[in-house]
Amino acid sequence: DADVTQTPRNRITKTGKRIMLECSQTKGHDRMYWYRQDPGLGLRLIYYSFDVKDINKGEISDGYSVSRQAQAKFSLSLESAIPNQTALYFCATSDSLKAAYEQYFGPGTRLTVT
Amino acid sequence: QKEVEQNSGPLSVPEGAIASLNCTYSDRGSQSFFWYRQYSGKSPELIMSIYSNGDKEDGRFTAQLNKASQYVSLLIRDSQPSDSATYLCAVGSQGNLIFGKGTKLSVKP
């Protein structure tokens, strides 16, 4: 069974719609992250959370919001989707007590905004 | 702005050869260094971590770190077609990872 799961795996939505991407983990890690990946631009950090009450903006947080519902769940929302948010989105986790920088990724969500 | 630089490739090597992937980073205070492998359309997979100067070997993979030169490398011995992927270098900095844009490796049978 996957340690880090993401739902949905694929999503096509229209400009202006609100969409939520969900991430769950069974690794028991305290830290969770959201990245997007675009061809030629690499992985870029959107938001990160070091524990349930600690949420921080990353490099490209504009147009996104997050919610850390529990230690195991971290959701990313696009309030009003736009076409340039079309990308591959990854959730990742790490354990601050063992190896804080070793991040483990979920399978990704491919989002298309038309 | 903290940066991690990699040659984008593609790097093409014949099957059985040694593939050498390189990475430089700008944050002199970084202490944690990683290599991820990413197949097309899939998520990054952690394959090596290195924290001290020198070499670290794991199977066919060897990571090399030189903090004075701010340089990290990954050697893949006896390269196989299944090693064809994009390899991402990542550096720990201020609580987060900074990723390079990746080097695409192609191993030709």
Side-chain angles (χ1 to χ4, degrees), chain A residues 33 37 48 90 101-103 106, chain B residues 34 36 38 43 51 95-96:
Chain A
Y33 311 80
Q37 189 173 42
Y48 60 101
F90 291 108
Y101 287 107
E102 286 190 10
Q103 293 185 17
Chain B
F34 307 92
Y36 286 81
Q38 186 176 25
S43 60
Y51 300 93
N96 285 309

Side-chain angles (χ1 to χ4, degrees), chain A residues 31 33 35 37 40-43 45 48 50 59 88 90 99 101-107 110, chain B residues 1 32 34 36 38 41-44 46 49 51 88 91-97 99-101:
Chain A
R31 297 184 174 186
Y33 311 80
Y35 292 89
Q37 189 173 42
L41 295 179
L43 280 165
L45 184 63
Y48 60 101
F50 283 174
E59 179 187 354
L88 193 51
F90 291 108
Y101 287 107
E102 286 190 10
Q103 293 185 17
Y104 296 88
F105 285 78
R110 185 169 295 281
Chain B
Q1 180 78 357
S32 306
F34 307 92
Y36 286 81
Q38 186 176 25
K42 302 297 185 183
S43 60
L46 179 63
S49 60
Y51 300 93
L88 306 176
V91 176
S93 178
Q94 298 180 325
N96 285 309
L97 283 181
F99 285 87
K101 293 181 180 178

